[in-house]
Amino acid sequence: MNGSGTSAAAQVSVVVIGYDDAAHIGHAVRSALGQGPVVAEVIAVNDASTDRTGTVLDRLAEREPRLRVIHRTVNSGGCGTPRNDGVRAATAPYVMFLDSDDVLPQGAATALLRAALRHDVPVAAGLCVRRELPRRRDTPWQHALYRHPAVHASPEAHPALLHDTLCVNKLYARAFLTGHGIAFPEGAFPYEDFVFTARVLAAGPRVATVPDPVYIWHVRRDAARPSISLDRGRVANWQARVLAHQRGVEVFLDAGSKPLAHAARVKFLDHDLRMYVRELPGHGPAHRRAWWRVARAALAAYDEADLCAARAPARWIARVVLASAVPRDLDRLAQLAARPARLLPPYAEAAGRPVWARDLPQVPLDGLTGPGAKPARRLPVTVDATLRTGRGPRAELHLRVHDLYGRLAAARPHTVDVELRLRDGGTAVERAVPLAADGAAWTAGVGFGLGTLAALGGRRRAPQAWDVRVRIRCAHGGTLHTAVRAVPADGATGLRPAVLPSARYGVLLVRPCATGSGSLALRLAPGVRCALGIALRRLRRLGRGLLP
């Protein structure tokens, strides 16, 4: 391996894979070539595309001597085989991976290679940014791992590394991969990077991390062919994810690392299980039953140590799934799986301790009360929010804060800070209002001008989305931060939109809605043209849903 004094020039091979992605693969390849002289070669593997992908690559290769193109004659059905082809063809000491619909930000390869050379490590990793298109909303992926530069002696010494299962935001010494026989699963194997990452970490490498953004993961929710990470509407996707996770655990056990196998199971509970449970109420009965069967079979391999090591929401969810042969309490489970978690009433007890339900006394809600209980600021408190509009361009937000086994009452909540934050712009509006006791709950109301809110969202008459969050201030126990649960107004069957007169815009379309985790968001469409555009798009979606 190269020492810290080695030149950083021309030492990286970037493997770009693509299938039927002529519209994007050119951008991906150019972003790899644009890394500068640190990249010795870009190897583009065309996985037997049926569109112009191969032509795009060949034309780029005519102008760029660092680009080599491999044309597969038979489609592999997955991402693992073309990546393996690329690694076998690579000649530089280090290798990186790039998908055809993503890009490398400027300086990514340099940042990773410098860390690898400076610390003499076979693996260097950096921050991946999920970019929602076309809005260009960026969300850092597993950002806690990349807040500061660090060098980890081994994965067992820092098991949090298992939370980042991506292969694309990392640089690998090619000799390390080949020396340990590390490759991706071949063929049609979804979530192949789960297994590849497990094989890398099972080899026990020293790992350097950098805070630099090194990968832009493009999320296109309106794509004709959704990515595997977005294609969660099918039970087969859940089955594939569970299988990839199980293979990863087997890799750790075969390597003799029970600590890493344990850490992988805990990660699955805290991340994967919660993510799918949040979406479960939106699926039909057949999907729910099949999902539940797969989940129970997977969780049967977990022992009590695995469950106890997971965060409370995840282990409570897992215990409910294990305790019930059929799906139950799906809305309640989905709210508990949200981030931040919300535990909805009713709040049952058995033998003086909190339990999930009276008919499931074997599912304890440990950590809520007694020794070692969570501090008040970390309680999964539920705050219900109802938005009411009148004839003018104003709205009233009514809040109801539920107690939780007396824990919140003991903390003595007195004020709630309501925040409305523009989703894509960062603009925020805050109001502080007192809480009034109402039995085993507290209530508050706050009003705000919708026209003023829309004006803060920008000068252009374009749709806006505002997320609602609250901070509950307590006399004891500090401040509790949470999102609010969207609840329809009294007598309503759902969250209803309203068209209101506005002196500034003429009309203002106001639509309260629930996010994927059930939290309240407020959508505004200022002006007649903007409101009509929203209405027409909704009608088109409804029309497509009615087609046979």
Side-chain angles (χ1 to χ4, degrees):
M1 196 174 299
N2 295 299
S4 58
T6 304
S7 169
Q11 295 205 55
V12 179
S13 297
V14 181
V15 176
V16 184
I17 63 168
Y19 169 69
D20 281 2
D21 200 11
H24 304 120
I25 198 166
H27 298 290
V29 169
R30 282 190 286 270
S31 77
L33 294 168
Q35 298 296 305
V38 68
V39 170
E41 61 185 358
V42 175
I43 301 171
V45 184
N46 170 28
D47 198 6
S49 297
T50 60
D51 68 352
R52 297 182 62 255
T53 295
T55 302
V56 170
L57 292 173
D58 287 340
R59 288 180 177 174
L60 283 172
E62 290 173 359
R63 303 189 299 270
E64 175 52 68
R66 288 184 298 162
L67 175 59
R68 298 163 54 198
V69 182
I70 298 174
H71 294 288
R72 290 182 50 81
T73 57
V74 177
N75 179 256
S76 69
C79 296
T81 297
R83 288 200 188 116
N84 290 337
D85 289 346
V87 173
R88 284 190 289 266
T91 60
Y94 295 89
V95 64
M96 294 175 64
F97 301 106
L98 173 61
D99 291 346
S100 62
D101 53 350
D102 300 329
V103 293
L104 298 179
Q106 193 66 38
T110 298
L112 291 173
L113 182 60
R114 282 178 177 169
L117 296 177
R118 182 182 303 119
H119 302 293
D120 194 24
V121 297
V123 180
L127 182 66
C128 172
V129 176
R130 282 174 52 103
R131 177 167 292 167
E132 295 262 2
L133 295 176
R135 294 180 299 173
R136 294 181 66 85
R137 182 188 179 196
D138 289 352
T139 304
W141 170 257
Q142 298 295 338
H143 60 93
L145 286 172
Y146 303 107
R147 288 196 179 111
H148 309 287
V151 179
H152 305 290
S154 71
E156 283 196 7
H158 193 68
L161 290 169
L162 274 69
H163 285 254
D164 185 2
T165 53
L166 299 179
C167 69
V168 289
N169 58 331
K170 301 174 179 69
L171 175 139
Y172 308 91
R174 194 162 53 85
F176 168 77
L177 296 180
T178 56
H180 288 87
I182 297 170
F184 291 89
E186 295 277 349
F189 191 100
Y191 297 107
E192 74 293 330
D193 43 359
F194 282 32
V195 180
F196 177 82
T197 299
R199 290 170 176 170
V200 168
L201 298 179
R206 295 174 69 239
V207 179
T209 57
V210 299
D212 311 62
V214 301
Y215 196 86
I216 306 298
W217 174 3
H218 285 151
V219 179
R220 296 179 173 88
R221 297 189 183 275
D222 58 350
R225 187 177 68 240
S227 65
I228 184 67
S229 62
L230 296 180
D231 192 21
R232 297 195 296 270
R234 300 177 302 115
V235 174
N237 180 283
W238 171 238
Q239 292 172 317
R241 195 178 189 104
V242 168
L243 175 61
H245 158 69
Q246 291 171 333
R247 290 284 178 84
V249 170
E250 291 170 3
V251 167
F252 293 133
L253 292 176
D254 290 344
S257 180
K258 290 184 178 180
L260 289 182
H262 167 73
R265 292 192 186 104
V266 174
K267 174 263 175 187
F268 180 81
L269 294 172
D270 282 334
H271 177 71
D272 305 69
L273 182 68
R274 287 179 70 171
M275 178 170 61
Y276 281 77
V277 166
R278 284 198 299 269
E279 301 170 354
L280 201 53
H283 296 293
H287 179 110
R288 296 172 181 179
R289 290 192 296 270
W291 184 96
W292 198 269
R293 286 194 297 270
V294 174
R296 290 192 85 216
L299 295 175
Y302 284 51
D303 58 27
E304 187 63 17
D306 297 327
L307 297 176
C308 289
R311 294 182 178 92
R315 68 173 176 265
W316 297 343
I317 292 168
R319 284 171 174 159
V320 172
V321 173
L322 286 168
S324 177
V326 295
R328 58 169 289 163
D329 305 333
L330 297 186
D331 289 333
R332 198 171 181 225
L333 288 171
Q335 292 291 316
L336 187 59
R339 297 184 187 273
R342 297 183 287 266
L343 180 61
L344 304 187
Y347 302 127
E349 292 184 278
R353 62 173 186 166
V355 295
W356 179 256
R358 289 183 179 179
D359 62 331
L360 284 185
Q362 70 271 39
V363 179
L365 301 180
D366 49 324
L368 283 181
T369 61
K374 291 174 174 288
R377 67 180 183 277
R378 294 180 54 201
L379 291 173
V381 167
T382 294
V383 181
D384 292 337
T386 301
L387 188 77
R388 294 186 174 93
T389 56
R391 299 193 175 203
R394 285 189 61 79
E396 292 284 336
L397 187 65
H398 294 263
L399 303 175
R400 184 174 184 83
V401 182
H402 294 268
D403 196 8
L404 193 60
Y405 294 102
R407 290 293 314 283
L408 196 57
R412 295 177 55 193
H414 56 79
T415 304
V416 60
D417 298 334
V418 181
E419 177 189 86
L420 287 85
R421 182 171 292 275
L422 186 64
R423 184 170 298 170
D424 296 325
T427 302
V429 176
E430 292 193 22
R431 299 282 190 276
V433 291
L435 286 167
D438 183 10
W442 297 263
T443 59
V446 58
F448 48 90
L450 294 170
T452 302
L453 192 66
L456 289 172
R459 295 180 181 178
R460 293 171 56 249
R461 299 194 176 196
Q464 305 170 9
W466 295 79
D467 292 309
V468 183
R469 298 180 69 88
V470 297
R471 293 186 298 271
I472 302 170
R473 300 189 181 275
C474 303
H476 307 298
T479 302
L480 189 150
H481 299 248
T482 189
V484 297
R485 182 173 68 123
V487 175
D490 295 339
T493 57
L495 301 172
R496 294 180 176 177
V499 179
L500 305 175
S502 168
R504 187 189 300 265
Y505 299 106
V507 297
L508 190 61
L509 174 63
V510 184
R511 186 163 64 91
C513 58
T515 66
S517 62
S519 300
L520 177 65
L522 182 63
R523 295 189 180 273
L524 300 179
V528 175
R529 181 177 296 179
C530 184
L532 284 175
I534 296 290
L536 288 173
R537 283 194 291 272
R538 286 179 60 82
L539 285 173
R540 281 196 291 267
R541 285 197 296 269
L542 287 172
R544 286 195 297 267
L546 293 174
L547 290 175

